[in-house]
Amino acid sequence: MAGKKEKFILWFDEVGIKDVPLVGGKNASLGEMIRSLGGKGVKVPNGFAVTAYAYRYLLEHAGILDEIKQILSDLDTHDMHNLQERGKKVRELIRNSEFPPELDEAIRKAYAEMPKKLGYEEEPDVAVRSSATAEDLPDASFAGQQETYLNIRGPDALIDSCKKCFASLFTDRAISYREDKGFNHFDVYLSIAVQKMVRSDAASSGVMFSIDTESGFKDAVFITSSYGLGENVVQGAVNPDDFYVFKPTLKEGKKPIIGKKLGTKKIKMIYAKEGTENVDVPEEEQNKFSISDEEVLKLGEWACVIEDHYEKPMDIEWAKNGDGKSLGTGELFIVQARPETVHSQRDVSMIRTFELKETGKVLVEGQSVGEMIGQGEVNSIELAEDIQKFKKGQVLVTDMTDPDWEPIMKIASAIVTNRGGRTCHAAIVSRELGIPCVVGTENGTDVLKTGNRVTVSCAEGEVGKVYDGLLKFEIIEINLKEMPKTRTKIMMNVSIPDKAFVEGQIPNDGVGLAREEFIINSYIGIHPLALIHYDELKGRKNNDEKIAEVVNTIDERTRGYDDKTEFFIDQLAQGVGKIAAGFYPNDVIVRLSDFKSNEYANLIGGFLYEPEESNPMIGWRGASRYYDEDFKPAFGLECKAILKAREEFGLTNIKVMIPFCRTVDEGKKVLEIMKEFGLNRGENGLEVYVMCEIPSNVILADQFAEIFDGFSIGSNDLTQLVLGLDRDSELVAHIYDERNDAVKRLIKDVIDTAKSKGRKIGICGQAPSDYDDFATFLVECGIDSMSLSPDTAIKTKIKIAEKEKELGISPD
């Protein structure tokens, strides 16, 4: 009996990760998971591998190896015509070669055995995928280089698909990719995966990474999902739903879905009479998430199990079965897993950030891939057959890419697509190539015309932007090995959740100020009372044009939510949760909303609930809102969001801070209201801080210390109230200075009082970020922490280390 090395067929449960030379990376991984992870709950559909030996046997039996070498002898992958001509010749040669009868028989026999192996009596529908012996390496994924054939049924169709799959080892993109990676074309062999199809055409499927694809943040699972077969997600033909799951607290049994974004999901791939076809998704289904929260968490758990087994970040494809005839209706399955090849190879001691130094007109927006900035002349190309028109350094603009585009993607300065999400082909290849990419713009090819000069920015968070013109930008490199230690904690002021995974990797001691305002403004955009009174407003919409506009906008923004208040709670909880996850387990001090009435009025529906004040800066803001009977229900939504982030997500590193608390009595009232909504100081380790930004906070610091766990000095408001000026007024702006002796004296006094009462005290105002001498003054006063803007944290930390050394303060 032939050994493993001379077999045409090996079942998945006969192979493991050490068998890559025999069955390629994909098959070896499928076998490894079936054998090693089935007992841990991970489900993988069974099937068999047509081995690399079978591929070599085909070439030898047909006697075509020398002819292939001759065809490729003058290959030039930088000449598109040359590459396309030679690739086509080799593929036709393999497809038209005589298929060895004994190999044909072995494949047919294995296929006939599948019903018994799978446990049901029916001719199986299978996926036929390539599995190359050089793929899924740590620094080269080879993802999508060869062809995939779906819904293959019957032995004749299977044999035909296997022939085409063998030939696809020489697709143009595969040839080009091997040349770039330095692989000899004749040292790479092709195995084929023949796997029972998961009927996700009647359900959902997608891709997930056990690491954040953009920042390399290791503690998050990123999941994408869309209706139908998974090829649309992989290819970027749809804009899928996105989810983030936080791994450390997931492993503790919590439910930390710290990010959910509804995708458009306009089409889905389903079974056709032969093969597959795309059909439109009804609008009602587009407006719903394609998988449930429970399924998101299950996929997150499996990603952790798979990553822990392989001991490296993983790129995983999954599918949900929607057909009760086999595999189980509603069951989730893993259909592929390979090593992540970008961030796992990154030098973690060096952080490289990009920053725009000027602004311009935004032409289109989409999802950002990576965190870089690129620029150049647009070349908008519709069809892959026209890629020879592309020149090095141009910005590639197209509807979507597939592996045929890779020969020009590697020479692009940036890539912009109409369709796709963060796990689509364009996104994966862009990360591996290290170039910025904006996907899912929907109208990029309409707006961006060939010859336009543009700047493509992925450095501003989740939303990628394409600007008109070549804007100035800066690249900042930080060597983490050279960072000194300090006794004074260096924390950060953070507003944008999408940047938290990056900013959390800069050396820090946590977040001294997480502002809710950006989350409410950008992710929600609706006045909380308009959401609370949605049903009432809906009843009035027919009689009032303005209210009708409010209701219609709420409906659009809250797609997928029947209860509109849950939208507010979820979005705020996820925004705060993402910041807390990015800096976990360090403290994250979340300041409750501090909008002024004019700012609240700018939210959708805000004009219905906000008074007009002559001086909102010192009006109805901060603590005075929270216990007001009119605003109390809105404050309750904030409390419920924080409670969800702490309890459901397990992010107990979140602390709460009360802004603009004028009197001790106000502080007591707010604490009671918080308790009423489930946020009870001291329960489950909850600490509550107060902003020190009003002179009364300093004067009565000993009394405030009795009811709060700590102080954070807001030097911006404190300065204007001590000096009696409006910091937004240009007429008196020249007087505004945090370094004024009156301001400094109050700051020193409150630090002394806090120390005497055993309370923590830090500062979250702008002054120490702007002025080195102010930062050293705070060190001399013995402040516990400084919370700085992320771009100044490193510089200030170095300065503080020097000052502490001068004062003889040990960093330990």
Side-chain angles (χ1 to χ4, degrees), residues 782-799:
I783 201 162
D784 293 319
S785 65
M786 295 183 211
S787 194
L788 311 163
S789 56
D791 60 328
T792 62
I794 297 295
K795 178 193 74 171
T796 308
K797 186 178 180 72
I798 293 170
K799 190 72 177 176

Side-chain angles (χ1 to χ4, degrees), residues 26-64:
K26 189 180 286 89
N27 284 328
S29 181
L30 290 169
E32 180 75 14
M33 289 189 290
I34 287 174
R35 293 168 66 176
S36 302
L37 302 182
K40 296 182 179 180
V42 178
K43 296 181 179 180
V44 179
N46 208 346
F48 62 86
V50 181
T51 63
Y53 170 72
Y55 167 77
R56 295 195 300 271
Y57 189 87
L58 166 64
L59 297 190
E60 184 180 331
H61 181 274
I64 58 175

Side-chain angles (χ1 to χ4, degrees), residues 347-359:
D347 179 4
V348 294
S349 67
M350 184 70 71
I351 293 179
R352 191 164 176 250
T353 60
F354 288 68
E355 184 179 335
L356 272 178
K357 305 308 289 185
E358 56 182 341
T359 60

Side-chain angles (χ1 to χ4, degrees), residues 53-293:
Y53 170 72
Y55 167 77
R56 295 195 300 271
Y57 189 87
L58 166 64
L59 297 190
E60 184 180 331
H61 181 274
I64 58 175
L65 183 58
D66 288 340
E67 194 170 346
I68 294 174
K69 289 181 178 180
Q70 180 59 37
I71 292 170
L72 298 178
S73 61
D74 62 346
L75 174 70
D76 180 1
T77 57
H78 298 290
D79 181 336
M80 292 299 118
H81 289 295
N82 177 290
L83 173 61
Q84 290 168 347
E85 182 183 3
R86 278 140 191 78
K88 183 179 179 182
K89 283 184 178 180
V90 174
R91 292 192 297 275
E92 288 179 347
L93 182 63
I94 295 174
R95 279 200 297 263
N96 295 329
S97 296
E98 182 185 352
F99 209 67
E102 51 271 43
L103 175 56
D104 183 291
E105 182 183 352
I107 295 173
R108 291 174 185 272
K109 182 181 178 183
Y111 179 71
E113 292 174 5
M114 283 190 82
K116 184 178 179 182
K117 283 266 189 181
L118 297 170
Y120 70 98
E121 298 300 322
E122 186 179 310
E123 189 174 60
D125 48 337
V126 296
V128 178
R129 305 177 188 271
S130 64
S131 180
T133 57
E135 72 183 359
D136 299 348
L137 300 175
D139 60 349
S141 69
F142 282 78
Q145 297 305 312
Q146 288 83 42
E147 299 293 354
T148 291
Y149 303 93
L150 303 177
N151 187 23
I152 304 303
R153 193 186 296 268
D156 292 339
L158 175 58
I159 293 296
D160 183 58
S161 295
C162 286
K163 288 180 180 179
K164 291 188 286 189
C165 207
F166 276 140
S168 75
L169 184 61
F170 290 93
T171 58
D172 298 347
R173 73 250 186 182
I175 295 170
S176 176
Y177 193 89
R178 287 194 294 271
E179 286 280 318
D180 289 344
K181 293 292 181 180
F183 284 87
N184 187 306
H185 297 291
F186 306 101
D187 289 339
V188 178
Y189 306 109
L190 193 77
S191 172
I192 297 172
V194 180
Q195 185 179 36
K196 171 68 182 79
M197 287 280 291
V198 178
R199 289 299 303 270
S200 59
D201 62 310
S204 312
S205 59
V207 178
M208 61 180 174
F209 286 78
S210 65
I211 188 172
D212 178 40
T213 54
E214 308 317 310
S215 65
F217 179 64
K218 63 182 179 60
D219 283 338
V221 178
F222 178 56
I223 302 168
T224 59
S225 172
S226 193
Y227 298 117
L229 301 175
E231 290 302 296
N232 279 344
V233 177
V234 174
Q235 294 170 0
V238 292
N239 298 337
D241 299 330
D242 291 349
F243 308 89
Y244 278 104
V245 180
F246 185 54
K247 293 192 290 189
T249 57
L250 178 70
K251 292 179 179 180
E252 295 172 0
K254 300 295 183 180
K255 300 178 179 179
I257 302 176
I258 59 172
K260 283 176 70 174
K261 183 178 179 182
L262 193 68
T264 53
K265 309 181 297 291
K266 291 182 178 179
I267 59 171
K268 65 177 177 179
M269 185 178 288
I270 63 170
Y271 277 20
K273 190 172 183 180
E274 289 185 8
T276 61
E277 63 179 351
N278 276 317
V279 297
D280 292 336
V281 174
E283 189 173 346
E284 185 180 348
E285 287 184 40
Q286 292 180 37
N287 292 335
K288 294 179 180 178
F289 286 101
S290 49
I291 50 175
S292 68
D293 285 358

